[in-house]
């Protein structure tokens, strides 16, 4: 369907931008947010060292609230 094709295009553009911008010798890749796991699964073939934390912002807000 058109919706699936559009979503696939967005998904491919995100993973493509990460592959172009990320330098594993200099950078640390941390994926966060609702689609972190989905995007991370597709990057596993190309990028070996990265962190997937879908709830990173929420964890930070909880830690901040505890102070």
């Amino acid at each position: 369907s058109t919706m699936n094709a559009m979503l696939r295009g967005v998904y491919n553009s995100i993973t493509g931008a990460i592959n172009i911008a990320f330098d594993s010798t200099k950078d640390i890749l941390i994926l966060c947010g609702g689609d972190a796991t989905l995007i991370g699964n597709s990057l596993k073939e190309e990028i070996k060292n990265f962190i997937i934390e879908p709830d990173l912002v929420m964890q930070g807000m909880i830690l901040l609230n505890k102070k």
Side-chain angles (χ1 to χ4, degrees):
S1 71
T2 301
M3 179 64 85
N4 287 339
M6 291 175 67
L7 289 172
R8 188 65 182 173
V10 170
Y11 175 73
N12 286 339
S13 68
I14 291 169
T15 56
I18 291 170
N19 283 324
I20 290 170
F22 181 70
D23 181 353
S24 61
T25 62
K26 299 178 186 175
D27 302 324
I28 297 171
L29 180 61
I30 302 173
L31 299 172
C32 59
D35 291 333
T37 304
L38 178 67
I39 293 169
N41 287 336
S42 71
L43 293 173
K44 285 183 179 177
E45 297 172 5
E46 298 147 16
I47 299 174
K48 302 300 178 203
N49 297 320
F50 61 91
I51 299 167
I52 299 174
E53 285 292 339
D55 300 321
L56 185 62
V57 173
M58 185 61 69
Q59 292 171 11
M61 290 182 354
I62 290 169
L63 289 174
L64 183 64
N65 187 43
K66 288 182 178 181
K67 286 187 174 184

